[in-house]
């Protein structure tokens, strides 16, 4: 196993210690696994809390800061955080204006955030929840009842985070988050399997010269396996799968997301093909983001996420943000 780690048992704790050292603007509780923006709670502001298994960085801890999340709860690799983490995070950031939980649609995350919401409300914290389920590849998977939550999580956290920073009430922030999720669709492709530190070997078998269309961010099976395709052919398959389900009439936000091991040279080339296909399909593009944002450890591959937007959502997307993983306008 060739990994830049000490031992598998301390991978998450070691990463959190390193994150704390690199980002003093965050308060990182290594023992309790909670990452909080250091100025929290912000008076009168709705707080956004999200979380999930580690291994998808910068999601979610890398999106904590002004303009996005108030706090994040990292679980073990590919494992949901526990309700105690979520309640602790909610208590740390609640200003009295309420807390919005942003939850990717994976069974463990859903159950634990539901339990955490009940516990937090018992402590007098007003909680709303938004479920992200944007992946069009499959309806059910090894970890999910319904569609998986993937790249649209970034759009939800950024746009809802901007709405919260404007001082909008919890009901409005929740409604905007739901709008973004409903207007977003994703499709991913794996060129290689990922390797978890605990297993020390690939999580699934993907022979050389083949790829998996419709993969999940934990290495779940997709729609089909095919011989290796060109970047243009992959873009056509991914974009067509998304547009078949979304059918946007307005311009879209585009996220071309790397799965962890695909270099920017390839991602930008892939984005060129995605833009070509969108143009050929008559879909206008308002903004594009390219990079590794919702990853799967060392998996090679990419995903495409589109979000149909209007003037209000575009303004919130463009609003300033300052986090370890995403920043502009500040």
């Amino acid at each position: 196993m060739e990994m830049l780690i000490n031992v598998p048992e301390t991978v998450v704790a070691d990463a959190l210690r390193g994150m704390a050292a690199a980002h003093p603007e965050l308060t990182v509780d290594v023992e309790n696994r909670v990452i909080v923006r250091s100025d929290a709670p912000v008076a009168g502001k709705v707080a956004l809390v999200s979380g999930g298994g580690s291994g998808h960085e910068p999601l979610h801890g890398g999106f904590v800061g002004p303009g996005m999340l108030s706090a994040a709860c990292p679980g073990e690799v590919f494992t949901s955080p526990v309700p105690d983490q979520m309640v602790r995070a909610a208590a740390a950031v609640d200003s009295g204006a309420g807390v919005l939980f942003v939850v990717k649609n994976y069974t463990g995350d859903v159950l634990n955030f539901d339990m955490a919401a009940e516990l937090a409300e018992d402590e007098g914290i007003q909680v709303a929840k938004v479920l992200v389920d944007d992946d069009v590849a499959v309806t059910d998977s090894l970890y999910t009842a319904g569609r998986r939550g993937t790249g649209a999580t970034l759009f939800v956290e950024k746009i809802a985070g901007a709405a919260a920073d404007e001082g909008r009430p919890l009901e409005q922030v929740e409604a905007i988050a739901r709008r973004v999720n409903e207007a977003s669709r994703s499709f991913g492709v794996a060129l290689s399997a990922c390797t978890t530190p605990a297993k020390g070997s690939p999580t699934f078998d993907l022979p050389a010269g083949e790829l998996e269309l419709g993969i999940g961010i934990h290495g779940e099976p997709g729609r089909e396996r095919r011989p290796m395709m060109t970047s243009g052919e992959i873009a056509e398959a991914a974009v067509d799968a998304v547009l078949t389900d979304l059918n946007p009439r307005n311009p879209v936000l585009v996220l071309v997301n790397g799965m962890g091991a695909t270099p920017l040279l390839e991602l930008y080339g892939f984005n060129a093909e995605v833009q070509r296909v969108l143009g050929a399909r008559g879909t206008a593009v308002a903004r594009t983001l390219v990079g590794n944002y919702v990853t799967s450890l060392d998996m090679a591959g990419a995903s495409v996420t589109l979000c149909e937007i209007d003037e209000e959502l575009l303004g919130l997307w463009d609003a300033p943000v300052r986090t370890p993983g995403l920043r502009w306008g500040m």
Side-chain angles (χ1 to χ4, degrees), residues 116-151:
E118 295 178 4
L119 295 172
E121 288 171 347
D122 288 343
E123 296 185 8
I125 301 172
Q126 184 182 6
V127 175
K129 295 173 292 183
V130 171
L131 189 68
V132 182
D133 57 354
D134 55 302
D135 183 20
V136 302
V138 295
T139 301
D140 297 301
S141 72
L142 299 177
Y143 301 91
T144 309
R147 290 180 167 178
R148 300 175 292 209
T150 58

Side-chain angles (χ1 to χ4, degrees), residues 187-192 204-207 210-216 219-229 234 299-300 302:
F187 190 88
V189 179
L191 310 182
S192 73
F204 63 96
D205 177 38
L206 185 58
E210 296 187 1
L211 56 76
E212 184 91 13
L213 290 174
I215 199 72
E220 309 98 305
R223 286 184 174 181
E224 60 179 308
R225 187 165 292 184
R226 291 187 187 177
M228 187 60 197
M229 302 157 62
I234 295 171
M299 181 186 289

Side-chain angles (χ1 to χ4, degrees), residues 17-152:
R17 289 191 296 107
M19 188 176 197
H23 298 286
E25 72 275 15
L26 302 178
T27 300
V28 181
D29 184 339
V30 177
E31 181 179 357
N32 294 304
R33 307 285 175 90
V34 175
I35 303 165
V36 179
R37 47 185 285 184
S38 58
D39 60 350
V42 179
K45 176 186 174 303
V46 169
L48 268 69
V49 174
S50 192
S54 296
H56 306 303
E57 290 73 18
L59 188 82
H60 293 275
F63 297 148
V64 174
M68 285 192 81
L69 296 176
S70 305
C73 311
E76 291 296 328
V77 173
F78 291 178
T79 302
S80 172
V82 298
D84 284 352
Q85 289 174 260
M86 303 162 185
V87 175
R88 186 174 283 107
V93 298
D94 179 40
S95 68
V99 175
L100 178 67
F101 283 167
V102 179
V103 187
K104 300 190 305 303
N105 189 31
Y106 293 95
T107 302
D109 291 358
V110 172
L111 292 174
N112 286 345
F113 270 104
D114 283 349
M115 186 179 300
E118 295 178 4
L119 295 172
E121 288 171 347
D122 288 343
E123 296 185 8
I125 301 172
Q126 184 182 6
V127 175
K129 295 173 292 183
V130 171
L131 189 68
V132 182
D133 57 354
D134 55 302
D135 183 20
V136 302
V138 295
T139 301
D140 297 301
S141 72
L142 299 177
Y143 301 91
T144 309
R147 290 180 167 178
R148 300 175 292 209
T150 58

Side-chain angles (χ1 to χ4, degrees), residues 148-217:
R148 300 175 292 209
T150 58
T153 312
L154 183 153
F155 289 154
V156 171
E157 292 176 355
K158 170 63 185 77
I159 293 173
D165 272 15
E166 287 185 352
R168 301 193 193 191
L170 181 60
E171 295 78 10
Q172 289 187 22
V173 177
E174 177 189 4
I176 284 172
R178 292 187 186 280
R179 278 174 56 197
V180 173
N181 177 65
E182 291 166 1
S184 299
R185 302 289 189 277
S186 296
F187 190 88
V189 179
L191 310 182
S192 73
C194 58
T195 298
T196 63
K199 190 173 187 290
S201 61
T203 54
F204 63 96
D205 177 38
L206 185 58
E210 296 187 1
L211 56 76
E212 184 91 13
L213 290 174
I215 199 72
I217 58 174

